[in-house]
Amino acid sequence: MRDIHKEEIILKGIPVSGGVALGEAQVLRDPSFQIVRRQIPASQIQEELARLDKAREKAIGELQGDKSKAIKAVGEQAAKVFEAQVMIASDQQFFQAVADRIVAERINAEYAYQEATAATLDRLMKSKDPYLRQMVHDIAAVSDRILSFLLGVGTGGENGFANPTILAGRIFSPGQIMAYAKRNVVGFLTEEGGPTSHMALIIRSLGIPSVMGDFSVGEKLVAGMQLIIDGNSGDVIINPDIETTKNYRRMRARKLTQPFGVLLNARSIAAVCRDGREIALAANLEIPGPVDEHLVRLRIGVGLFRTEFLYFNKQTFPDEEEQYQVYSAIAKKFNPLPVTLRTFDLGGDKYAEEFGKVHEDNPALGWRGIRVSLDATRLFKTQLRAMLRASAEGNVKILLPMVSDVGEINETLELVDKIKRELRRTGIPHNDGIAIGAMIEIPSAAMSADYLAQKVDFLSIGTNDLIQYTMAADRGNFRVAKYYLGHHPAVLQLIHMTVQAGHENGVAVTVCGEMAGAKLMAPFLVGMGVDELSMNPTRLPELAEWISRFRYSDAKRFASRVMRLSTADKVMAALKEAYDYVDKLKQGDWRDEQP
Ligand code: PEP
Ligand code: MG
């Protein structure tokens, strides 16, 4: 047993997802880092073999449970993945070989098991047969389950952890987050993955508080400790005392701990400047979530639906019918509000562990987004067909991620036309005039925005990536966070070029990166003429209220002044000055002088 100090300690981290949570710490280390080879005495061999058997039985039990649940929830087809995994976990020959090695070498079960699995995965990865390569994901998923039982950090069983849990670790993949969110995990504490990382996006969309920082997870911060994490301030309180705990409970009783609290209680949300200009607002969604019905009630559509999370949820590509079901459900729910479905943006940090073995030296500069889609045409066609079919059910738009050249748009439009012809021939309803947009998140796209705008119906600036590619600073790497500057003149210039190109071609421009939800940037983006801001739903009420405090005409002057500033520091100073100014204003209390 570790010595758990009882003294209250407050650590400062970086807020990643709003809200406050209280729970017991569990530390999840990436098993591949943690497993060491241990020599065991002969007397312990039987015990070790029993441990292996038990872990395997538990995994099979869990998989069978998941399979039945999946059949109920999504049908037989979706449950096939679990069937394959049960077969893998039942492979007698494989487990006999592991057992033989434990006996022969007198080693611990997790080490023997991991070695055998790694060898199998290695062989499959090298295979030319796509079916065998596809099995890699299933084997890895089974291995994760069995190892987690062997290591004693099991998924917590059917009903999850016994107590509300704050899960701490280096970083979590979207798949892990989705799984643990259902298992009584009320907060995430990580050492890596900044506020614009994909991990952060998915945690936020689930409304779970999260903080990132250097907390010596596994050493000073250990399993079993009581924690309060504040995803708004970044505070992490270890061993909270009675008074702190009482305060937390009072906040919780008043719903102040919930990130979605304000949105759920809002009566209407609109971003109308004092001189009448309205900026359209939209929501970024990753999964059908707890706020959808409130967005519909507040007349807010979806500016970005990150469809790759369908993949993360299952770790396999959903077929046309499954995708159609999801897309048409959301289109119907929001109709007539727009629902912007973005095609899969896989690659980069979105492969996380599922594709961990497809090695690219620079994944962010690699095979990602539309590049993957255009190479894997069957996959792309399936997705586009599902989206087109869903367009008959509501106001669906299609958005293409990671575009770097007009040729990619041409190729996609040809494919879309071909699918439309097929649908027409077979009498399948769809919206023939469906709007298709391009994400502007690579400098080359911003610089060719004029050509792109001539081909598409709308542009959407993804600042999360645009910043990382312009500044050469990984969005999830805290070591280079100081270079990841959304307010750098180069980034602002690219936003400016995009808005101008869009408007010259009669095409609306949205900002859908995290910048859209930042109060500090709002006067600049509004003044630049951005038509729509699409953001995490939790940010909507505050942004709308903030924008309603100032005039568009003033924001326009402010933006053109900022565009003449030569350094990020000067821009930051101007943004802060404007922020302080707007901060002092209450609605209906505008003074005419301006910063
Ligand atoms: C972006 O890059 O700003 C964006 C919205 O896309 P994602 O965060 O999914 O990469
Ligand atoms: Mg992006």
Side-chain angles (χ1 to χ4, degrees):
M1 265 303 274
R2 280 175 194 270
D3 177 27
I4 298 173
H5 303 292
K6 285 292 172 203
E7 186 193 339
E8 177 174 301
I9 305 166
I10 302 180
L11 303 173
K12 196 81 194 157
I14 297 170
V16 166
S17 173
V20 189
L22 178 147
E24 185 181 310
Q26 286 293 339
V27 174
L28 183 63
R29 280 276 167 218
D30 185 337
S32 62
F33 290 150
Q34 239 194 352
I35 297 167
V36 286
R37 183 189 163 105
R38 273 187 298 109
Q39 214 61 55
I40 50 169
S43 59
Q44 242 186 49
I45 286 178
Q46 283 314 316
E47 207 178 298
E48 212 54 18
L49 293 174
R51 261 187 355 103
L52 178 67
D53 269 350
K54 202 160 167 209
R56 189 177 149 207
E57 272 164 27
K58 274 186 172 172
I60 293 175
E62 232 186 37
L63 284 164
Q64 271 158 345
D66 285 356
K67 182 183 154 190
S68 326
K69 273 195 247 157
I71 291 176
K72 259 196 229 136
V74 276
E76 291 280 349
Q77 189 62 23
K80 285 210 172 111
V81 61
F82 293 110
E83 227 164 81
Q85 292 185 10
V86 169
M87 271 172 66
I88 291 165
S90 312
D91 184 340
Q92 281 302 347
Q93 215 180 342
F94 177 83
F95 280 90
Q96 190 54 52
V98 177
D100 289 349
R101 191 161 170 197
I102 293 173
V103 176
E105 296 180 33
R106 287 197 206 159
I107 52 171
N108 50 327
E110 50 270 39
Y111 184 80
Y113 174 70
Q114 192 205 25
E115 287 283 287
T117 307
T120 307
L121 288 176
D122 199 44
R123 259 200 321 279
L124 292 177
M125 286 299 298
K126 287 183 188 139
S127 162
K128 290 212 164 55
D129 181 342
Y131 173 74
L132 288 180
R133 282 205 312 275
Q134 181 69 20
M135 270 178 67
V136 164
H137 308 300
D138 288 326
I139 294 180
V142 171
S143 151
D144 280 353
R145 274 190 209 248
I146 293 182
L147 280 174
S148 72
F149 286 120
L150 283 171
L151 291 168
V153 288
T155 47
E158 284 280 296
N159 305 312
F161 294 104
N163 299 318
T165 293
I166 292 176
L167 200 59
R170 188 178 65 80
I171 192 164
F172 300 109
S173 71
Q176 283 178 313
I177 292 160
M178 310 269 254
Y180 284 112
K182 295 178 200 143
R183 297 191 164 112
N184 210 7
V185 167
V186 295
F188 287 98
L189 210 57
T190 68
E191 293 171 314
E192 288 177 33
T196 61
S197 67
H198 291 103
M199 177 194 73
L201 298 175
I202 186 75
I203 296 178
R204 278 204 290 274
S205 69
L206 291 165
I208 299 176
S210 174
V211 176
M212 181 195 93
D214 187 3
F215 303 118
S216 306
V217 171
E219 293 158 29
K220 287 188 193 141
L221 193 154
V222 295
M225 283 178 158
Q226 276 297 110
L227 298 180
I228 291 179
I229 64 166
D230 184 337
N232 307 317
S233 67
D235 284 349
V236 173
I237 307 172
I238 299 180
N239 299 323
D241 60 26
I242 293 172
E243 199 45 42
T244 312
T245 307
K246 258 198 211 155
N247 276 343
Y248 165 80
R249 293 198 201 285
R250 270 198 292 271
M251 274 176 76
R252 191 170 58 185
R254 292 166 56 209
K255 293 201 167 52
L256 296 176
T257 51
Q258 287 183 13
F260 292 135
V262 182
L263 186 81
L264 306 192
N265 294 324
R267 288 237 289 257
S268 73
I269 293 178
V272 184
C273 294
R274 285 184 51 82
D275 48 4
R277 169 155 172 115
E278 178 160 7
I279 316 302
L281 293 178
N284 292 354
L285 298 181
E286 284 76 35
I287 43 168
V291 291
D292 296 3
E293 64 200 80
H294 292 275
L295 293 170
V296 172
R297 174 177 65 77
L298 294 161
R299 320 295 309 145
I300 289 181
V302 182
L304 169 64
F305 187 79
R306 291 179 163 102
T307 60
E308 57 275 13
F309 285 87
L310 296 177
Y311 168 82
F312 291 137
N313 216 357
K314 299 179 48 185
Q315 301 188 15
T316 175
F317 288 106
D319 64 19
E320 182 183 321
E321 200 48 39
E322 287 172 75
Q323 290 189 56
Y324 167 71
Q325 294 299 340
V326 176
Y327 305 152
S328 62
I330 183 166
K332 270 189 217 157
K333 196 191 280 179
F334 279 82
N335 196 31
L337 301 163
V339 171
T340 312
L341 301 174
R342 186 175 69 181
T343 58
F344 292 134
D345 182 17
L346 289 162
D349 67 334
K350 292 189 209 182
Y351 277 143
E353 73 189 19
E354 295 86 353
F355 280 80
K357 298 227 157 47
V358 177
H359 182 76
E360 288 189 300
D361 280 345
N362 285 305
L365 302 181
W367 201 49
R368 197 193 140 176
I370 198 162
R371 300 170 181 186
V372 176
S373 295
L374 287 173
D375 285 348
T377 332
R378 268 228 328 255
L379 197 82
F380 198 24
K381 213 176 140 200
T382 301
Q383 181 166 42
L384 291 170
R385 252 183 85 96
M387 287 179 171
L388 275 159
R389 284 173 58 200
S391 71
E393 311 286 346
N395 186 359
V396 170
K397 301 178 186 191
I398 296 178
L399 180 58
L400 308 169
M402 291 296 291
V403 171
S404 59
D405 178 65
V406 120
E408 292 154 343
I409 300 290
N410 292 338
E411 239 182 285
T412 305
L413 293 180
E414 266 173 39
L415 196 57
V416 169
D417 279 344
K418 197 168 147 207
I419 300 168
K420 280 183 189 167
R421 282 199 298 276
E422 272 173 27
L423 293 174
R424 266 198 301 273
R425 241 194 342 264
T426 42
I428 297 176
H430 62 281
N431 173 10
D432 214 43
I434 190 166
I436 299 191
M439 291 279 294
I440 304 293
E441 45 190 350
I442 300 179
S444 64
M447 294 163 101
S448 357
D450 186 28
Y451 307 124
L452 291 169
Q454 292 171 36
K455 297 281 177 183
V456 295
D457 303 296
F458 64 100
L459 298 176
S460 193
I461 307 178
T463 48
N464 304 338
D465 279 313
L466 186 61
I467 300 168
Q468 80 162 346
Y469 294 129
T470 307
M471 301 304 298
D474 182 341
R475 61 197 265 184
N477 182 348
F478 69 93
R479 286 177 201 89
V480 292
K482 66 172 188 266
Y483 299 101
Y484 185 86
L485 302 176
H487 60 279
H488 191 284
V491 176
L492 303 188
Q493 195 64 48
L494 293 172
I495 294 174
H496 175 63
M497 287 172 75
T498 306
V499 175
Q500 244 185 350
H503 291 175
E504 274 163 16
N505 290 286
V507 158
V509 180
T510 297
V511 173
C512 68
E514 294 302 289
M515 187 189 282
K519 276 157 62 178
L520 185 71
M521 295 302 292
F524 175 81
L525 294 178
V526 169
M528 197 82 298
V530 166
D531 302 283
E532 181 181 73
L533 295 171
S534 188
M535 64 193 79
N536 182 280
T538 54
R539 302 293 310 137
L540 286 162
E542 214 180 328
L543 250 290
E545 193 278 323
W546 191 251
I547 289 169
S548 69
R549 293 178 181 211
F550 55 83
R551 284 177 215 269
Y552 173 53
S553 56
D554 292 331
K556 232 161 60 173
R557 270 200 301 279
F558 172 68
S560 51
R561 184 160 72 81
V562 168
M563 283 307 297
R564 292 195 293 274
L565 300 174
S566 56
T567 68
D569 284 349
K570 286 181 188 166
V571 173
M572 181 48 86
L575 291 172
K576 277 189 176 153
E577 199 187 332
Y579 182 97
D580 290 343
Y581 186 75
V582 178
D583 197 30
K584 287 198 197 87
L585 300 169
K586 291 193 200 73
Q587 268 175 304
D589 182 30
W590 175 268
R591 284 164 291 154
D592 264 339
E593 76 274 24
Q594 46 143 350

